[in-house]
């Protein structure tokens, strides 16, 4: 989605439809990337949006106007905030995945106890636990 917006801005700016003010659209590119693409994607989208902003300012001869500099400032602020948010979301996902992994390991150790061999037989306790788990899954307990 962010790259489609960047493409739309390019089409608008470099065609006769360039009477539309596209600064806010470019500012949305890194913000949407932060939600969907992660830190690397956010950085790539921010660089792309900045490059498009420079290209359109040069093409339209808009250097020296407050509009161009306010676009750059807004783009930089949103990019930094998007990167920080994306990084925090990535860390949160990693922590959540680690928590789920620890719970899964603990549950596996409880339910799937190691089978102890006593001579050539399995212990009765292991068979019993397996039957209890199977009965629980069938809904008979």
């Amino acid at each position: 989605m962010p790259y489609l917006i960047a493409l739309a801005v390019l089409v608008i700016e470099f065609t006769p439809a360039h009477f539309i003010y596209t600064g806010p659209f470019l500012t949305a590119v890194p913000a949407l990337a932060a939600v969907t693409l992660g830190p690397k994607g956010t950085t790539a989208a921010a660089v792309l949006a900045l490059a498009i902003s420079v290209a359109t300012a040069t093409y339209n001869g808009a250097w020296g106007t407050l509009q161009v500099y306010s676009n750059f400032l807004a783009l930089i602020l949103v990019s930094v905030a998007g990167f920080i948010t994306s990084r925090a979301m990535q860390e949160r996902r990693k922590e959540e995945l680690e928590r789920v992994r620890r719970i899964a390991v603990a549950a596996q150790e409880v339910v799937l106890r190691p089978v102890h061999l006593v001579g050539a037989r399995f212990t009765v306790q292991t068979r019993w636990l397996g039957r209890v788990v199977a009965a629980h899954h069938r809904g008979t307990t």
Side-chain angles (χ1 to χ4, degrees):
M1 184 70 171
Y3 296 113
L4 290 176
I5 293 172
L7 179 64
V9 168
L10 278 174
V11 169
I12 290 169
E13 285 291 331
F14 293 113
T15 62
H18 76 273
F19 62 89
I20 299 172
Y21 177 59
T22 59
F25 295 118
L26 278 178
T27 305
V29 169
L32 289 173
V35 174
T36 58
L37 300 177
K40 290 181 183 178
T42 302
T43 303
V47 168
L48 176 66
L50 189 61
I52 291 172
S53 190
V54 167
T56 58
T58 303
Y59 179 77
N60 294 323
W63 287 106
T65 64
L66 284 176
Q67 187 176 10
V68 169
Y69 298 121
S70 65
N71 285 347
F72 285 144
L73 180 62
L75 189 56
I76 290 168
L77 289 175
V78 169
S79 297
V80 169
F83 180 80
I84 291 169
T85 302
S86 180
R87 186 80 169 171
M89 286 173 51
Q90 185 182 45
E91 289 299 318
R92 184 174 176 180
R93 282 187 203 124
K94 282 182 183 178
E95 290 172 3
E96 185 176 341
L97 185 60
E98 180 61 27
R99 254 182 291 154
V100 169
R101 189 191 66 75
R102 283 194 311 262
I103 291 170
V105 166
Q108 186 175 9
E109 288 174 357
V110 169
V111 174
L112 301 173
R113 293 182 183 155
V115 177
H116 302 289
L117 292 176
V118 179
R121 295 188 201 173
F122 294 109
T123 62
V124 174
Q125 182 182 15
T126 303
R127 286 186 189 162
W128 181 81
L129 181 60
R131 289 185 183 171
V132 169
V133 170
H136 180 69
H137 285 294
R138 287 192 305 265
T140 57
T141 59

